[in-house]
Structures are given as structure tokens and as C-alpha cells.
Amino acid sequence: MEFLTEYGLFLAKIVTFVVAALVVVSVVMSAAQKERGDHEGEGELKIRKLNDKYRKLRETIQARLMSDHERKTFEKARKKEQKAEKKAAKAKKQENDAQDESRGRVYVLDFDGDIKASDTDPLRRAITAVLSVADPEKDEVVIRLESGGGLVHSYGLAAAQLDRIRTKGVRLTACVDKVAASGGYMMACVADKIVASPFAILGSIGVVAQLPNFHRFLQKNDVDFEVLTAGEHKRTMTIFGENTDKGRQKFLEDLEDTHVLFKEYVGERRPDLDIAAVANGDIWFGKRALEVRLIDEIKTSDEYLIEACDRADVVSVAYQRKRTLPEKLGLATSAALEHTVWKVLGAFRNQKFQ
């Protein structure tokens, strides 16, 4: 009984904190929205050479495993290499930055999708920058994609941005480590090649719509709600009004038409795929997805990019909009809130299995 009392007090404190945090986040984000108009469009491209990142990781582990004498010899040799690299870079610059014709570039983009595909605008800007310099003959674009899908029109636009890469004739590879389902797979299927980890979730080629209806509740409480439209199909389904069989049927027809367009889109970009067999809304894990040809290879994005470093200069490109102070505070509060919620859920899970 004492445990339940303490646990109840603990939950009450958590609930109080969550409510207070939500209020703070709402206030901060509201202020951020007001200032956004003055800062819209401000941002910068973040460029990072991943060859250097992976090389430093390798050198760090090598140095830790060496004896003092070996480490000194290694560091001395590395300094000579760095000096030679700087000299070569200087000479290259003096030759009008002439590129090595035998070595191309791999441009790495990231897309972390929410229900609204909010990363589409940064992706659009990054793609525009990459296409201004990419060479279709020797360069490649890799999109590290994570998304469970969302709004049809939002993900349609995100996929159209990736289509720009293929239209320019630049090779496009999609790497999926966790999930590319529904709208996420709509984006992935644009790529010339899809690489996924063994247990990544792929597919969900289907369309879903769900909404509550409060008509009977309002009717029970003598509340009238009227829906006035001009145009027979302006409003087929409503949350508060009474839905009709005719409106419901039209809504289903629209869903089916959207599904047909989705299947056509995937089929055009992956002609070897048996679209009838996979376009039932089901999902497949990596290895199973390979069997039904939803993907082309089992491999993590790290594996793919490390191998790419041997044949090309691998460059991460990301567009980042400069955030205002209220936005930064809002993100910090949101992260703290998320951490607290997961900590509570973890504690509850552990208590359950003790």
C-alpha cells in the first residue's frame, strides 16, 4: 500500500511537470512563430567531408592499440602525410582547382520525416545546391532516409524533390536504417538503388484515413451542427455533422484513387517490382523486403558510405535554417520533456517485469 501511495505521488509530480512544460513550450513556440517572418529564408549549408570523419575514427583506434614507441612513429608518419596533403592541395588550387578526373564525389543528404514531411524544404535547398555542381558522369547522391510516412501531398512533394536528381541523370541511392514506409517508401522508390539494414521496415504501400465523429454526442446534448457547402463533393465526411452513405462512398473512392496513383508512382520507378503483390498496405523487414524486391541490397548506411570513401570523396550536405533564441529554448524544453517521458515509461516497464 505504501508503494502505491509513493507511486501515485510520483505520477502526480510527473503529470504536473508535463503540463507545466507543455505550457512553456506553447508560449515559447508561439513567440518563435511571431519572429519567424523576419528570419524566413535565413540559413546556411553545412558541408562535411565524411572521408575525414571515418579516417579519424580509424586513426584513433589504431593509436590506442599501439605502444608508446609505435604511436610516436605513427604520429610522425601521419604529420608527414598531412604536410604532403596540404602541399598537394595548394598545388591543386594553383592549377585552378582542377579536379581529379578519376575520382568522383558522393553527396550525402539526410531526411528525417514526420507526418508533415517538415524536412522537405531543407532537402529542397540541399538538392538545389548539389545539382549545381554534381557531375552525372561520376558523381552520386545518397539520401539517408527515415520516415514512417504521413500526409500524401507533403510526401508527394518530398519525393518530387528527389525526382529532380534522377531527371538530371545523377545516380541516386537511398539508405534506410530503420524505416521507410508509406510516404517514406514513396521517396525511397525514386532512387536507382535502395539499400536497407536487415530489420529496417519497408513498404506499407497503401492509404489510410480515420476521423472521429461526435454527431451522436452533440445530438444527445441537443447541440445542432450544420455543414453548408457549395458543390456536391465539397465536404464528404465531417467530424461534427451526420455522415451519409453517399458521402462515405465518395470518400472511399477518393482513397482508392490515391492508392492507384501511389501504386503507379512506385511501379514506374521500380518496374521489376510485382506491384500487385506488395501494394496491399503490408510491411516487410529488410531481408523479406529484399525477397520481394522492395530493396536491392542489405547493408547499413555506415557500411555503404565507408565503402564509398575508397572510391570517392564523400561529402555530407545539409541546409540549416538559423533558429531564433525562442526556438532554441523550445527545442531544449521539448528534448527535456521527451527524455522525462521515456524515463517514466522505462521505469513503468521495469516495474512491470520485476
Side-chain angles (χ1 to χ4, degrees):
M1 193 66 181
E2 182 180 352
F3 167 76
L4 292 176
T5 302
E6 292 180 355
Y7 191 67
L9 290 173
F10 171 73
L11 285 180
K13 292 178 181 178
I14 292 298
V15 171
T16 302
F17 171 79
V18 169
V19 172
L22 288 175
V23 172
V24 172
V25 170
S26 298
V27 172
V28 171
M29 295 310 293
S30 177
Q33 289 291 337
K34 292 180 180 179
E35 293 188 15
R36 181 171 296 175
D38 296 331
H39 297 272
E40 195 68 37
E42 292 186 5
E44 59 182 335
L45 281 174
K46 296 288 186 179
I47 311 295
R48 183 183 183 189
K49 192 173 180 180
L50 297 185
N51 301 68
D52 297 335
K53 170 188 172 182
Y54 293 123
R55 176 180 54 77
K56 288 178 181 178
L57 288 173
R58 182 180 66 252
E59 291 176 355
T60 298
I61 190 66
Q62 287 176 336
R64 294 292 178 88
L65 296 175
M66 294 176 182
S67 64
D68 291 341
H69 176 71
E70 290 174 331
R71 188 181 303 112
K72 289 180 180 178
T73 303
F74 174 78
E75 291 176 351
K76 186 176 181 179
R78 181 56 192 156
K79 286 180 180 179
K80 287 184 178 181
E81 289 179 7
Q82 290 176 338
K83 187 175 181 180
E85 288 173 359
K86 289 181 180 179
K87 187 176 180 179
K90 185 176 181 181
K92 188 175 182 180
K93 187 175 182 180
Q94 291 175 345
E95 295 173 1
N96 297 320
D97 297 324
Q99 294 185 6
D100 182 356
E101 296 298 330
S102 65
R103 189 173 176 87
R105 291 195 179 104
V106 175
Y107 298 97
V108 183
L109 311 177
D110 289 287
F111 185 91
D112 188 2
D114 56 17
I115 194 170
K116 298 186 295 182
S118 302
D119 259 2
T120 300
D121 188 62
L123 177 67
R124 173 179 66 85
R125 294 172 185 266
I127 289 175
T128 298
V130 167
L131 291 182
S132 68
V133 296
D135 185 344
E137 297 296 326
K138 61 181 181 177
D139 292 344
E140 176 186 4
V141 175
V142 173
I143 174 78
R144 291 188 291 196
L145 175 64
E146 302 295 341
S147 175
L151 300 176
V152 174
H153 60 281
S154 298
Y155 275 90
L157 177 58
Q161 297 300 332
L162 294 179
D163 264 320
R164 294 169 55 200
I165 299 173
R166 287 192 60 168
T167 301
K168 288 291 185 178
V170 180
R171 283 181 299 138
L172 175 63
T173 301
C175 289
V176 182
D177 288 327
K178 294 180 181 178
V179 58
S182 193
Y185 189 76
M186 178 187 285
M187 294 179 65
C189 77
V190 176
D192 298 286
K193 182 178 182 180
I194 302 177
V195 178
S197 64
F199 285 93
I201 298 174
L202 300 112
S204 189
I205 304 174
V207 184
V208 62
Q210 51 190 348
L211 69 162
N213 185 266
F214 298 95
H215 174 69
R216 282 182 291 181
F217 174 80
L218 296 177
Q219 193 176 46
K220 183 178 179 181
N221 290 275
D222 297 324
V223 178
D224 293 328
F225 184 86
E226 296 184 1
V227 180
L228 305 178
T229 63
E232 182 181 2
H233 298 142
K234 180 61 179 177
R235 179 70 67 231
T236 55
M237 298 287 285
T238 173
I239 296 178
F240 298 108
E242 182 178 7
N243 289 317
T244 64
D245 290 338
K246 185 177 180 180
R248 194 174 290 109
Q249 180 60 36
K250 180 62 172 67
F251 193 80
L252 288 171
E253 290 174 4
D254 291 341
L255 286 182
E256 183 60 34
D257 185 50
T258 304
H259 189 208
V260 169
L261 291 172
F262 192 176
K263 291 188 291 184
E264 290 177 351
Y265 190 87
V266 175
E268 289 171 0
R269 284 150 186 80
R270 292 189 68 85
D272 294 335
L273 184 64
D274 184 355
I275 195 67
V278 298
N280 56 5
D282 204 352
I283 62 165
W284 285 263
F285 289 101
K287 289 186 176 181
R288 299 290 181 258
L290 181 62
E291 293 172 1
V292 296
R293 297 186 177 181
L294 283 169
I295 64 173
D296 303 293
E297 187 177 357
I298 295 292
K299 189 175 290 184
T300 66
S301 63
D302 287 313
E303 288 179 282
Y304 188 82
L305 293 177
I306 289 173
E307 291 175 2
C309 287
D310 294 331
R311 58 180 169 81
D313 293 328
V314 182
V315 183
S316 172
V317 181
Y319 178 84
Q320 294 182 353
R321 185 175 63 82
K322 295 180 181 178
R323 300 186 184 278
T324 63
L325 179 60
E327 286 179 307
K328 292 178 181 178
L329 292 174
L331 289 173
T333 304
S334 177
L337 178 59
E338 181 180 2
H339 174 75
T340 301
V341 170
W342 280 111
K343 189 173 182 180
V344 172
L345 292 175
F348 179 75
R349 180 196 60 189
N350 293 337
Q351 182 63 38
K352 180 179 179 180
F353 291 102
Q354 283 179 357

